[in-house]
Amino acid sequence: MALRPLLSEEQIRKRVLEMGAQIDADYPDGKLFLICILKGACYFLADLSRAIKRDAQVDFMGISSYGRGKTSSGEVKVTKDLDISLEGADVLIVEDIIDSGVTLNYLTGLLKQRKPKSIRIAALLDKPERRLRPVDVAYVGFRIPDEFVVGYGLDYAEKYRNLRDICILEPE
Ligand code: IMP
Ligand code: MG
């Protein structure tokens, strides 16, 4: 496998700062919960939460819709639930990438049942061409073509998450 650079550490850093500023400008005072979807989004959450200047709490949710390969199994499973109640809170789901939309379509439906005041999605990457289920994304870092990418939290069979840049993974 070969790695072809797509987004540099510096490009990601700048964009995440912009997203944080936008979120600060958009949200009224009150409880803001950032819900990080494990494991891929934890790098993005760490940077985005610090780009946000208003008060915000973080919590983590484990969801899996992918096996070890590159294609979605189509099944969504909650592997770790939240520790906090969402009732009355502004909820921002923080996700690394939206591909088919299966994961987030399912997750927003699930979290809406918990009576949050509002629920939105912030995704670092979006591959709109791949969408199978509709997903309403409020904040998108970068729209990217239909390529498999790794780094900055994104993995291929648990590898490459700790790369600083985002790269396209290609067969040699
Ligand atoms: P969806 O349910 O198809 O939208 O898939 C979303 C999940 O699939 C993401 O949270 C990632 O874990 C994984 N995924 C989708 N595309 C990629 C990719 O290009 N690289 C790494 N993981 C990906
Ligand atoms: Mg993920």
Side-chain angles (χ1 to χ4, degrees):
M1 301 276 211
L3 295 170
R4 181 153 58 87
L6 179 68
L7 297 163
S8 70
E9 185 179 5
E10 185 55 19
Q11 282 174 295
I12 299 166
R13 195 185 67 81
K14 277 195 186 144
R15 185 68 188 119
V16 173
L17 286 175
E18 287 172 5
M19 294 174 84
Q22 186 66 56
I23 291 163
D24 272 332
D26 288 356
Y27 277 93
D29 287 342
K31 267 190 209 166
L32 176 62
F33 287 156
L34 305 177
I35 305 299
C36 172
I37 310 307
L38 296 171
K39 303 173 192 169
C42 70
Y43 296 72
F44 178 42
L45 172 85
D47 290 337
L48 183 69
S49 61
R50 288 177 295 178
I52 293 171
K53 300 293 174 229
R54 77 193 295 297
D55 250 3
Q57 292 185 40
V58 301
D59 200 3
F60 298 86
M61 191 152 187
I63 282 262
S64 71
S65 69
Y66 265 49
R68 287 170 56 85
K70 284 186 181 178
T71 51
S72 176
S73 65
E75 273 173 53
V76 181
K77 203 172 70 182
V78 174
T79 55
K80 186 220 170 289
D81 207 337
L82 299 170
D83 297 326
I84 51 170
S85 157
L86 300 182
E87 203 169 328
D90 286 310
V91 171
L92 185 59
I93 299 174
V94 178
E95 177 60 306
D96 49 6
I97 187 166
I98 310 177
D99 186 42
S100 69
V102 169
T103 309
L104 282 175
N105 179 284
Y106 170 83
L107 190 63
T108 35
L110 183 79
L111 297 186
K112 269 180 191 163
Q113 295 169 15
R114 301 184 185 184
K115 304 187 174 65
K117 185 168 130 207
S118 72
I119 187 157
R120 287 186 190 163
I121 295 167
L124 181 68
L125 305 175
D126 184 12
K127 293 197 267 193
E129 288 167 56
R130 300 259 307 169
R131 204 71 90 248
L132 297 174
R133 303 273 168 81
V135 178
D136 186 13
V137 204
Y139 307 98
V140 176
F142 303 91
R143 292 209 166 73
I144 62 166
D146 179 11
E147 304 267 17
F148 196 85
V149 292
V150 294
Y152 193 71
L154 293 147
D155 73 305
Y156 174 59
E158 295 301 324
K159 243 186 108 177
Y160 308 114
R161 287 195 201 277
N162 59 336
L163 294 178
R164 303 183 79 99
D165 301 330
I166 291 174
C167 301
I168 294 171
L169 186 65
E170 297 177 320
E172 303 271 6

